[in-house]
Amino acid sequence: MSCKCCMTVDVEEWFNILDIPGEVPFEQWDSRENRLESNMMRLLELFRKHDVRVTCFWLGFFAKKYPALVRRCYEAGHEIASHGYAHLLAYKVGREKFKEDVESGKKILEDITGAPVAGFRAAGFSVTAEIDWFFDVIRSAGYLYDSSVFPARRGHGGVDNTPLTDYVIHTPSGDLWEIPQSMIKILGKRVSFFGGGYLRIAPGFLITQGIRALKKHGRQPVFYVHPREIDPDHPRLKMSTMRKIKSYINLKSTYPKLENLCRNHDFMLMRERIKLDI
């Protein structure tokens, strides 16, 4: 098995932070300051510089707003995958509304690029053990793989006791690959150093050790980043002290860590990981 890494970008704005007092309602998204374009351009330049191809999980709302940027990602060789349309927490909105959201996000991306979209990632890794319909909705919408499982407890979402490796989920609509967020075990506890606040908080040597631990067991690391995380000066939202720490700590460290990863590791697209030829 190849032990190349996967770099993924959850393409959303600085205000798309979930479950906080200052959460920006969907109806106000268009009126807020745009920082996504410039941050994505900076990420694309970083990836071009190091000849790294990544998987971009686009929110349909912003894909529709910035179709030229979606095409730019696609034409640069990056994979276009879906993050849904309106950044909905699956366990909050229910099956029917979630189904509409994931179908809409996929259609918008395919209309823009003219190419099939194989992958999906839910907002906030918001699949839980209680919503047993989740994977069937994803597969019935036409997706071939999912990357929504955070295989440990977290603030929203998280599923304990699931495999740490890629696996196939059998649904009434067909088989679906699951590529979970990368975790390692420390003293029997599942821990992540590979994305979001986890990547920002972890010192470089722990990230390196985590990568080695994964590769030792033949597991391919999956990293994830949001465009806002390379933008330390982006506006702040109202939230609890703990959420502020999780959302805003070490923002200045994100870009250097990404550059270090791009410089020192080999990468492949998520669809290549499960050998999808689309």
Side-chain angles (χ1 to χ4, degrees):
M1 177 190 292
S2 168
C3 275
K4 288 184 178 181
C5 306
C6 288
M7 179 65 71
T8 68
V9 182
D10 290 356
V11 187
E12 56 192 63
E13 265 290 6
W14 60 269
F15 49 76
N16 292 130
I17 298 176
L18 297 158
D19 272 346
I20 57 171
E23 186 172 348
V24 177
F26 177 78
E27 296 75 19
Q28 296 180 19
W29 285 13
D30 251 337
S31 65
R32 296 302 176 107
E33 179 184 355
N34 159 39
R35 300 178 77 97
L36 187 151
E37 264 189 305
S38 59
N39 289 331
M40 275 302 293
M41 290 299 292
R42 191 176 176 212
L43 283 172
L44 290 175
E45 176 56 26
L46 171 66
F47 301 141
R48 185 205 63 76
K49 175 181 175 183
H50 295 284
D51 194 24
V52 168
R53 292 185 304 149
V54 309
T55 297
C56 299
F57 289 94
W58 273 86
L59 273 181
F61 176 89
F62 295 110
K64 190 174 182 180
K65 187 172 183 178
Y66 307 116
L69 186 55
V70 177
R71 284 191 288 270
R72 185 166 187 148
C73 292
Y74 178 73
E75 290 165 2
H78 304 301
E79 179 182 3
I80 304 300
S82 174
H83 202 33
Y85 181 78
H87 213 232
L88 302 181
L89 288 170
Y91 60 82
K92 276 194 170 184
V93 300
R95 179 172 186 145
E96 290 309 310
K97 189 169 183 179
F98 185 67
K99 182 176 184 290
E100 292 174 8
D101 186 84
V102 301
E103 290 176 347
S104 175
K106 188 175 193 292
K107 184 178 187 305
I108 287 167
L109 294 169
E110 291 178 339
D111 286 348
I112 291 171
T113 64
V117 169
F120 177 81
R121 175 177 287 160
F125 296 98
S126 58
V127 58
T128 67
E130 290 70 35
I131 50 174
D132 56 4
W133 45 261
F134 178 89
F135 298 110
D136 185 46
V137 167
I138 301 306
R139 186 65 186 89
S140 67
Y143 296 98
L144 301 179
Y145 76 83
D146 175 71
S147 184
S148 301
V149 171
F150 190 92
R153 296 183 182 225
R154 70 192 312 266
H156 34 255
V159 187
D160 279 333
N161 303 318
T162 53
L164 297 178
T165 58
D166 303 349
Y167 55 99
V168 175
I169 297 171
H170 305 292
T171 82
S173 301
D175 289 348
L176 179 74
W177 274 98
E178 178 59 41
I179 305 175
Q181 172 55 27
S182 293
M183 311 285 287
I184 61 172
K185 285 188 176 181
I186 298 179
L187 299 176
K189 184 176 181 180
R190 294 180 173 190
V191 179
S192 175
F193 301 136
F194 309 107
Y198 309 100
L199 180 74
R200 287 184 278 110
I201 291 171
F205 77 91
L206 276 183
I207 298 170
T208 299
Q209 289 300 316
I211 294 169
R212 287 175 180 167
L214 289 171
K215 290 188 174 183
K216 180 180 178 181
H217 293 94
R219 289 161 53 201
Q220 302 148 299
V222 176
F223 298 93
Y224 72 93
V225 66
H226 305 89
R228 64 176 175 269
E229 292 181 286
I230 64 163
D231 181 9
D233 298 323
H234 73 256
R236 302 301 195 252
L237 298 170
K238 182 181 179 182
M239 62 185 76
S240 69
T241 299
M242 183 54 68
R243 288 299 300 276
K244 283 181 182 177
I245 293 171
K246 291 179 180 178
S247 299
Y248 301 135
I249 193 170
N250 287 355
L251 287 171
K252 290 183 179 179
S253 77
T254 309
Y255 190 90
K257 286 177 178 176
L258 290 178
E259 183 150 46
N260 184 61
L261 289 169
C262 289
R263 183 186 298 116
N264 293 302
H265 298 278
D266 294 324
F267 290 85
M268 63 180 171
L269 305 177
M270 295 282 263
R271 71 166 187 258
E272 293 173 336
R273 178 185 177 110
I274 54 173
K275 299 180 173 58
L276 291 180
D277 185 17
I278 60 172

